Amino acid sequence: MQAIVFDDFGGPEVLVAREVASPAARPDDLLVRNASIGVNRADISHRKGAYGRAYFGDSDIMGLEIAGTVVEVGSQVRGFAVGDRVMGIVGGGAYAELSRIDHRMAMHVPAGLSLHDAGAVAEVFVTAHEALFHLARLQAGESVLIHAAAGGVGSAAVQLAHAAGARVFATTGGDKREAVRGFGADEVIDYRSEDFHAVVAGKTDGQGADVVIDFIGAPYLERNVRSLAVGGRMVVVGLLGGAQGAALPIDLLLYRHLQIFGTVMKSRPPEVKQAMVQRFAQRWLGALGSGAIRPVIDSTYPLADAAAAHRRMETGESVGKILLQPAPAAA
């Protein structure tokens, strides 16, 4: 099968298409012929050497999410059959024509969703659901501030929060404001020209937001905490702005009874990721099928052009997910 590999860490140009052996399905696995593959920032970190030459459990080929058709079912699998349309999270091995996925991290693709679009669901929507509802316990009628709202997880988080009946504040670049508003944001803040803390304070009569979902890290920490209401909860999902030099107002943390969580999916044990997938599926698969929530797709590249997909992500100009698409299987 064709897969994307790299012999040395470096820029996008190190990614090359090569023929490799197809994976073998283990007892709990589905073997899937991929129709679309999600590109994630973790893939860029992998390519640059952030994880070393780690073996991620399923493959040493990069990639974390797939959608496609089941071509083989392991002996211990229940609830799936050959020919089923599935999407889900893999522990490596997505950048290929065939991938194996533990069936407990797979979801049936709803009838109303194409296999192409399904490749943009698992990683971002599961992460967004975990942050908003499992950790931050967001409820209808509460307010939430979501940063990097035009990105993959950000656009998913805005949609889920809106669908759950929350008031959504969202930060993005000014050129992406209308797109983010279209995802369901009530108040869109241009992070380049506006102070999000001042906007949230002004729009909430000084009370602040009940929840903050942050992807930026150290540069936003102090203002994030100051933006939280009494009893507020913040979930840190990424570190796009770096991890050093953060100032934490400890007095506000104490006297406002605040809670701060961190979450990352890639390094979690399989059983934790399985539970995360199932929590999302139980609540939201119906909404995906009906179109009440939808994957946001920026662009699609042939699998062999994975380097171009990485370059697109590194521009910071994308809105939503970037996908890879293997060539159709020969008849």
Side-chain angles (χ1 to χ4, degrees):
M1 69 171 186
Q2 186 184 68
I4 300 300
V5 300
F6 58 96
D7 297 320
D8 299 293
F9 300 126
E13 69 280 357
V14 304
L15 300 178
V16 295
R18 189 174 294 164
E19 288 295 316
V20 302
S22 298
R26 300 160 300 194
D28 284 313
D29 285 341
L30 308 172
L31 187 63
V32 176
R33 182 166 297 282
N34 295 330
S36 64
I37 298 155
V39 177
N40 292 281
R41 290 197 176 275
D43 303 341
I44 292 175
S45 297
H46 187 177
R47 189 199 76 220
K48 291 180 176 179
Y51 312 120
R53 283 291 182 186
Y55 183 88
F56 291 114
D58 286 339
S59 175
D60 55 2
I61 295 169
M62 70 167 56
L64 301 174
E65 63 182 325
I66 61 167
T69 303
V70 176
V71 296
E72 185 180 338
V73 175
S75 60
Q76 299 300 313
V77 171
R78 300 294 181 268
F80 294 91
V82 171
D84 283 355
R85 303 187 323 142
V86 298
M87 58 188 178
I89 294 168
V90 298
Y95 281 32
E97 293 179 307
L98 294 165
S99 297
R100 61 185 182 187
I101 180 172
D102 187 304
H103 74 284
R104 292 161 294 190
M105 287 193 283
M107 298 173 278
H108 289 281
V109 176
L113 186 65
S114 72
L115 274 179
H116 172 267
D117 290 0
V121 170
E123 186 78 16
V124 295
F125 276 97
V126 170
T127 299
H129 177 267
E130 192 72 6
L132 286 167
F133 303 107
H134 186 65
L135 295 176
R137 308 180 306 281
L138 181 68
Q139 301 294 319
E142 290 191 317
S143 58
V144 56
L145 170 62
I146 298 170
H147 292 297
V153 182
S155 62
V158 170
Q159 291 187 70
L160 294 182
H162 174 75
R167 182 185 184 188
V168 181
F169 294 86
T171 67
T172 190
D175 54 332
K176 301 176 182 178
R177 291 180 71 125
E178 290 310 307
V180 171
R181 199 177 306 280
F183 304 152
D186 298 287
E187 305 286 348
V188 183
I189 304 165
D190 184 347
Y191 73 90
R192 297 189 183 106
S193 61
E194 298 178 276
D195 179 350
F196 66 80
H197 170 247
V199 174
V200 170
K203 296 287 186 178
T204 60
D205 296 325
Q207 298 302 304
D210 299 293
V211 171
V212 172
I213 305 297
D214 181 54
F215 303 87
I216 309 303
Y220 278 14
L221 178 60
E222 182 173 2
R223 282 187 292 159
N224 279 337
V225 171
R226 295 189 183 282
S227 297
L228 283 168
V230 172
R233 293 86 67 195
M234 181 171 77
V235 183
V236 180
V237 184
L239 297 170
L240 293 174
Q244 304 302 316
L248 175 63
I250 298 289
D251 56 336
L252 297 182
L253 183 69
L254 178 66
Y255 294 117
R256 290 189 186 176
H257 312 288
L258 306 180
Q259 298 178 56
I260 300 176
F261 303 89
T263 185
V264 64
M265 185 182 295
K266 188 179 183 70
S267 59
R268 305 296 284 277
E271 59 273 15
V272 174
K273 290 192 280 191
Q274 292 162 16
M276 292 167 69
V277 170
Q278 295 308 312
R279 282 193 287 267
F280 167 78
Q282 289 167 11
R283 181 163 180 178
W284 295 107
L285 276 190
L288 272 170
S290 70
I293 60 173
R294 58 184 176 82
V296 178
I297 297 169
D298 175 82
S299 50
T300 303
Y301 295 82
L303 176 62
D305 290 341
H310 278 220
R311 290 188 188 98
R312 172 65 179 169
M313 178 166 279
E314 289 182 318
T315 67
E317 297 174 356
S318 57
V319 175
K321 290 289 293 187
I322 298 168
L323 296 177
L324 299 174
Q325 189 168 39

